[in-house]
Amino acid sequence: MISRIPLVVTYDDGRKEHVLCTGSDTITFERAYDLPYSKIGDRLEYMWYLAWACLNRTKRVSATFEEWMTSVELVADDESAGKTEILPLESPALTSSSATLPMSTDSLLL
């Protein structure tokens, strides 16, 4: 099973683009280099090509790989992927262990 590979592309102008490479992107890589996708970490060019393949597939770039890479400063693992904080919609309900409940009728205010 091929998992999705999150990458971030930083361009020369400082702009960043997050890409989530899928199985079809890794197959594009394998066909171009005649290597298994597990070799992507072996050369800088491989990771850059994978990012370009994803951007090309999703129509976010129309330049050839050779043209595109002249405007790129860095391609790296996207460490922020999957680290989105999920906030609760409501406050948690009080339970008997967290609520202060009177233990007898003597302590009730009238």
Side-chain angles (χ1 to χ4, degrees), residues 27-68:
I27 289 170
T28 300
F29 164 82
E30 290 178 338
R31 288 179 177 174
Y33 290 95
D34 195 26
L35 292 169
Y37 83 98
S38 61
K39 298 289 185 184
I40 288 170
D42 288 356
R43 282 180 63 176
L44 181 63
E45 179 182 358
Y46 297 164
M47 189 180 298
W48 284 44
Y49 189 87
L50 184 64
W52 173 82
C54 180
L55 291 167
N56 187 50
R57 175 183 54 81
T58 58
K59 311 236 183 294
R60 292 189 275 173
V61 67
S62 59
T64 66
F65 175 64
E66 297 293 326
E67 295 168 335
W68 172 80

Side-chain angles (χ1 to χ4, degrees), residues 102-109:
M103 300 309 286
S104 71
T105 58
D106 293 340
S107 61
L108 289 177
L109 296 175

Side-chain angles (χ1 to χ4, degrees), residues 6 18 21 25 32 43 61 63 66 76 82 85 98-99 106:
H18 297 268
C21 304
D25 303 319
R43 282 180 63 176
V61 67
E66 297 293 326
E85 184 179 355
S98 63
D106 293 340

Side-chain angles (χ1 to χ4, degrees), residues 88-108:
L89 296 176
E90 299 176 4
S91 299
L94 294 176
T95 63
S96 61
S97 62
S98 63
T100 305
L101 299 174
M103 300 309 286
S104 71
T105 58
D106 293 340
S107 61
L108 289 177

